[in-house]
Amino acid sequence: MASKLQSCMKGPQEWPTELTIPDWFKERAEALIGQLGEDHPDAKAFRTILTNGRLDERGVDYLDYIASKTENPESRQLAIDISHHCFSTIKVMTLIPLRMA
């Protein structure tokens, strides 16, 4: 599966620093980390995202790698699902004008 999430999620604007992860990601990531073991590269990437509590450009790099290189279908699906969440959130952020008070 050739995927370039990085190119889709990076644009002319600076990366939104407050892109938090949803609760469902926490639950699924913890379960997958338990299944894979803490030393598995996919588990380490998901653990880093969980520890940060938000998704930043480095997290996108991890997701891009997992979605395109992992041989574990559950890891791939979780990377794709959280990426979809990010795409949707960023899309909404671009549609809603921010009001400065």
Side-chain angles (χ1 to χ4, degrees):
M1 175 179 172
S3 174
K4 271 312 222 185
L5 300 175
Q6 294 166 321
S7 63
C8 295
M9 296 179 81
K10 292 181 182 176
Q13 297 179 346
E14 193 171 308
W15 182 260
T17 58
E18 297 300 321
L19 194 54
T20 58
I21 55 175
D23 289 337
W24 61 260
F25 176 78
K26 295 174 188 177
E27 296 169 10
R28 287 177 57 192
E30 288 288 350
L32 186 56
I33 291 167
Q35 176 187 345
L36 297 173
E38 292 284 341
D39 293 333
H40 191 281
D42 295 354
K44 287 180 183 180
F46 290 130
R47 175 65 65 203
T48 299
I49 294 169
L50 282 174
T51 300
N52 290 341
R54 61 184 172 79
L55 204 55
D56 54 14
E57 287 187 70
R58 187 173 190 169
V60 172
D61 291 342
Y62 291 143
L63 294 176
D64 183 59
Y65 182 81
I66 291 170
S68 62
K69 303 288 185 193
T70 191
E71 295 185 18
N72 184 295
E74 291 86 8
S75 291
R76 183 179 304 112
Q77 189 62 55
L78 184 55
I80 291 169
D81 289 348
I82 192 63
S83 297
H84 181 267
H85 167 78
C86 293
F87 294 145
S88 300
T89 302
I90 291 170
K91 179 66 174 177
V92 168
M93 290 170 66
T94 62
L95 295 175
I96 299 174
L98 298 176
R99 301 181 195 272
M100 301 304 254

